[in-house]
Amino acid sequence: MLAEYWPVLLFIGVATGLGLVLLAVGLLAGPRRPEAEKLAPYECGFEAFEDARMRFDVRYYLLAILFIIFDLEIAFLFPWAVVFQQIGVTALVEMAAFLLLLIVGFAYVWKKGALEWE
């Protein structure tokens, strides 16, 4: 029974070994030129200049949440497009309703000014 797991164990071993070898080669052969700019903390598009618990503008979070929502809704189109020829006209009407709802939501968000950045 253990012989059935041999290919899986071999794959895990080879993958681990290859990963370690590539890390070692990168550490040994890679350039090392530490500079102040390279070692400085960087996040969210600007340098950290205050305490880590500083306040962010709410619009940043709102824009991020809206991006995630619309991005996930668009992701529903890919599986539908793959099987479009097998599912027929009913699915076409349902996807049109879904896209109409998406466009109405996008227009509402745009009209409210949630996508504006001052």
Side-chain angles (χ1 to χ4, degrees):
M1 182 167 152
L2 190 58
E4 294 175 12
Y5 290 107
W6 174 244
V8 175
L9 293 174
L10 181 64
F11 178 77
I12 291 172
V14 169
T16 302
L18 182 63
L20 291 174
V21 166
L22 290 175
L23 281 172
V25 167
L27 285 173
L28 294 175
R32 287 187 197 91
R33 284 177 248 148
E35 297 174 9
E37 280 192 32
K38 286 183 180 180
L39 299 176
Y42 177 83
E43 187 174 340
C44 298
F46 56 87
E47 291 185 32
F49 51 86
E50 291 183 17
D51 186 23
R53 292 181 282 298
M54 70 180 202
R55 292 181 174 226
F56 283 95
D57 194 357
V58 173
R59 291 175 293 180
Y60 173 77
Y61 295 111
L62 180 63
L63 196 64
I65 289 170
L66 288 173
F67 171 75
I68 290 171
I69 289 170
F70 287 115
D71 189 46
L72 288 177
E73 287 180 352
I74 293 299
F76 285 124
L77 291 174
F78 292 111
W80 175 81
V82 169
V83 294
F84 174 69
Q85 290 185 349
Q86 290 93 12
I87 53 181
V89 177
T90 305
L92 180 64
V93 172
E94 289 176 2
M95 186 53 71
F98 175 75
L99 290 176
L100 179 67
L101 185 63
L102 178 65
I103 291 169
V104 167
F106 182 70
Y108 175 78
V109 167
W110 193 346
K111 179 112 173 122
K112 286 292 187 178
L115 301 176
E116 298 293 325
W117 195 268
E118 296 175 4

